[in-house]
Amino acid sequence: MLKHLTVISGKGGTGKTTITSSFAALAENAIIADCDVDAADMHLILQPETFETTDFYGLKVAHINKELCTDCGACASSCRFDAIDKFNVIDTCKCEGCAVCEFVCPENAICMVEKKAGEYYCSNTRFGPLVHAKLGAGEEASGKLVSDVRRRASELALECGKDVVIIDGPPGTGCSVIAAITGADLVLVVTEPTISGIHDLERVVQVAQHFRIPVVVCINKCDINMDLSQSISIYCKNNEINVAGMLPYDKSPVDAMIYGKSVVECFDNDFSSKVRSLWTEVNSSLSK
Amino acid sequence: MKIAIASGKGGTGKTTVAVNLALSLGNAQLLDCDVEEPNCNLFLGFDLKKQEDVTITVPQVDSGKCSLCGKCAEFCQYNAIAKLSDSVMLFPKLCHGCGGCVLVCPEKAITEKKRSIGVIEKGTNEQFNIELLQGTLNIGEAMASPVIRQLQTHMDESTVAVVDSPPGTACPVIASVADMDYCVLVTEPTPFGLNDLVLAVDVIRQLGIPFGVIINRHGLGDNRVEEYCRVESIPVLMKIPYIREIAVLYSKGIPFVEHMPAWKENFREMCRDICEFIPYRGLSQC
Ligand code: SF4
Ligand code: SF4
């Protein structure tokens, strides 16, 4: 059965991509989905060769036909998102595509149009297929794009006979995170022992539990503050969450990044061996 | 003066810069617009008082009046209403509160009620001479922009407002950056940092806001970020060194200017530099 693992962190910069790219290198038969569509980074390490590009359409946006418009102002006054100004010009960033203006316009001067909001790609990498995306600057509906990337990744996994989809999730707890974890078999939360790290961990664990998805945790940079690492372990224990690994504060991820490689490819040191055992642990939780 | 602190990505030190800048300036407002994960107060420990709920309106259907015509479900662009064989079903978390269903219902069976999706809180404290305003989106809610917009209505035009923006380059970021006088982009000197910086620069240029860069964890990684800034003529406003002391203070939730007071002057000087980059504004507001 095809399994889905989503790697998330309450916040960016905790080492999520370092870990996911190493998992990509270590997993025998996986497909990778980079769902951090707002600021995708995985391609910097995996150096994909794209073989399929699909346009992504988010929500529609309103368009006013100036020929028909009589400046009656009905649209602007019924728009709840302040997306139409006093000159009856639509601010496409504020427009949420609800179509109320189209409905109220007495002159039928408004129609809802498709707007390309980004692209997603299927690519080959040295570790197998990667599905990744680029959302246009300032575009909304990233949750929908995340769902599209995941759907394509699952299809491709079935086509190529892969047994795991490893999903690099977006930061935060909002709609794109929800889209990245729904239906996953396991969530790995990467955290770090800082005051904000604990706080973000608690929020993101609540989200996962809200959707009843099993969680394991990895504490990165664990030796930067041993007391807080201890508190995180206790928090996890109290919530029956397995701490699947603890990684030390180390420069090797950054050095590997500069070479465009994952840490397990570049180095054979304490850090990379801990990443390997993290993968073994996560993989066994996943197969349960 | 309104300064946004942004970055293509989380974890580059946006909150660190926002908090330390506000503390260095003093007599400033700090607005935490990262409503999915507001973190500024972890460094300040203010006693926050709730100001108000952020609400959006969602429909409710009077089943006595409903004729099951299905027009509401057909209209809703977000699939927040489904027509079943014997009732209409609502999914409030998908609703954007546009009010369209109320307009299209021929039986006037739909009315609206308020639903809270987050809160706005405010705090000050004796030790630090700043005011913190924070918005928090409730867990499991998807729409950050209404919380950000409502938070920004609390901005006091007469002082300096420092805005901690959410990560990424999507609409919530634009909602928090759009009306600012200046934008500070925080990045790291690594290939990832550069990749995210380029995306962020793209957005800020489109918005036409003057901006500059702070390189955090300077000394780590390589010099491609500095090279890029030079080629693109982007001012590098400040470099915060990669030293363990700052990382440890951060882990404990201590703003580093409190332990390394010389940095307060660096931040103030940066702010004076920023004023020079802002067209039509004098130094008086710094
Ligand atoms: S208010 Fe708009 S978004 Fe909400 S249910 Fe009605 S039509 Fe859908
Ligand atoms: S539009 Fe009005 S009458 Fe028709 S199904 Fe919806 S609530 Fe019922």
Side-chain angles (χ1 to χ4, degrees), chain B residues 61 65-72 83 88 104-107 109-110:
Chain B
V61 176
K65 288 186 185 164
C66 171
S67 63
L68 293 174
C69 73
K71 293 228 161 67
C72 52
K83 190 193 83 83
V88 291
V104 299
C105 176
E107 314 294 341
I110 306 184

Side-chain angles (χ1 to χ4, degrees), chain A residues 36 39 80 96 138 200 203, chain B residues 9 36-37 78 96 112 169:
Chain A
D36 192 354
R80 297 245 174 117
E96 301 214 10
D200 297 336
R203 269 180 77 88
Chain B
K9 188 116 176 170
E36 283 181 27
E37 309 279 344
Y78 313 104
H96 286 218
E112 289 181 292
T169 50

Side-chain angles (χ1 to χ4, degrees), chain B residues 57 59 75-78 80-81 94-101 112:
Chain B
T57 57
F75 181 84
C76 180
Q77 307 292 312
Y78 313 104
I81 311 181
L94 299 178
C95 173
H96 286 218
C98 72
C101 49
E112 289 181 292

Side-chain angles (χ1 to χ4, degrees), chain A residues 47-105:
Chain A
Q47 284 142 12
E49 283 177 27
T50 299
F51 61 84
E52 180 189 299
T53 302
T54 312
D55 287 342
F56 168 72
Y57 293 92
L59 289 165
K60 291 182 177 175
V61 293
H63 175 79
I64 301 184
N65 181 342
K66 283 283 162 201
E67 308 266 289
L68 298 176
C69 170
T70 57
D71 285 327
C72 74
C75 55
S77 61
S78 33
C79 177
R80 297 245 174 117
F81 308 109
D82 250 349
I84 309 179
D85 69 12
K86 55 179 185 296
F87 308 109
N88 298 320
V89 172
I90 306 224
D91 178 338
T92 50
C93 187
K94 287 185 177 167
C95 175
E96 301 214 10
C98 71
V100 162
C101 54
E102 180 187 40
F103 178 77
V104 300
C105 176

Side-chain angles (χ1 to χ4, degrees), chain B residues 5-278:
Chain B
I5 315 297
S7 69
K9 188 116 176 170
T12 54
K14 230 170 354 83
T15 301
T16 305
V17 168
V19 169
N20 285 297
L21 173 61
L23 289 175
S24 304
L25 294 174
N27 193 17
Q29 268 190 325
L30 176 61
L31 280 87
D32 195 340
C33 288
D34 189 358
V35 302
E36 283 181 27
E37 309 279 344
N39 271 350
C40 288
N41 199 36
L42 297 173
F43 296 88
L44 297 169
F46 287 6
D47 194 9
L48 293 178
K49 299 230 164 41
K50 177 170 159 179
Q51 303 295 297
E52 68 229 7
D53 278 309
V54 179
T55 58
I56 65 166
T57 57
V58 293
Q60 53 186 354
V61 176
D62 179 344
S63 55
K65 288 186 185 164
C66 171
S67 63
L68 293 174
C69 73
K71 293 228 161 67
C72 52
E74 210 177 283
F75 181 84
C76 180
Q77 307 292 312
Y78 313 104
N79 304 316
I81 311 181
K83 190 193 83 83
L84 309 178
S85 59
D86 58 346
S87 62
V88 291
M89 202 166 143
L90 301 169
F91 302 94
K93 288 201 172 165
L94 299 178
C95 173
H96 286 218
C98 72
C101 49
V102 179
L103 294 176
V104 299
C105 176
E107 314 294 341
K108 302 214 172 341
I110 306 184
T111 50
E112 289 181 292
K113 61 170 188 220
K114 286 193 183 316
R115 189 173 79 83
S116 167
I117 58 165
V119 292
I120 306 285
E121 293 162 303
K122 181 163 110 175
T124 47
N125 105 353
E126 311 266 281
Q127 189 193 348
F128 302 118
N129 178 27
I130 59 171
E131 179 181 88
L132 173 68
L133 282 150
Q134 160 177 316
T136 309
L137 186 68
N138 295 342
I139 293 280
E141 292 292 344
M143 288 199 298
S145 298
V147 183
I148 295 170
R149 264 183 252 128
Q150 192 158 328
L151 184 61
Q152 293 210 344
T153 62
H154 291 266
M155 215 156 2
D156 175 359
E157 301 279 343
S158 67
T159 70
V160 179
V162 178
V163 168
D164 189 9
S165 319
T169 50
C171 267
V173 181
I174 298 200
S176 53
V177 174
D179 294 328
M180 298 290 135
D181 298 311
Y182 195 85
C183 181
V184 174
L185 295 173
V186 184
T187 189
E188 293 188 328
T190 65
F192 282 20
L194 177 60
N195 180 61
D196 305 331
L197 176 64
V198 173
L199 297 173
V201 165
D202 204 31
V203 174
I204 302 299
R205 283 205 171 129
Q206 279 180 40
L207 292 170
I209 301 165
F211 68 98
V213 163
I214 289 185
I215 301 177
N216 192 20
R217 303 196 189 97
H218 179 71
L220 180 85
D222 56 18
N223 54 16
R224 280 179 253 183
V225 165
E226 276 183 80
E227 196 57 35
Y228 166 78
C229 290
R230 196 168 60 231
V231 171
E232 296 282 322
S233 317
I234 298 166
V236 175
L237 302 164
M238 183 186 260
K239 294 173 191 170
I240 301 173
Y242 176 62
I243 47 175
R244 204 180 161 92
E245 190 183 358
I246 292 183
V248 171
L249 289 170
Y250 175 86
S251 80
K252 294 181 183 154
I254 301 169
F256 73 86
V257 294
E258 295 302 310
H259 271 246
M260 306 159 93
W263 276 91
K264 285 198 172 172
E265 185 47 36
N266 295 352
F267 276 106
R268 282 195 289 262
E269 196 185 310
M270 177 183 89
C271 196
R272 287 192 288 270
D273 288 343
I274 287 177
C275 285
E276 293 183 11
F277 290 119
I278 300 175

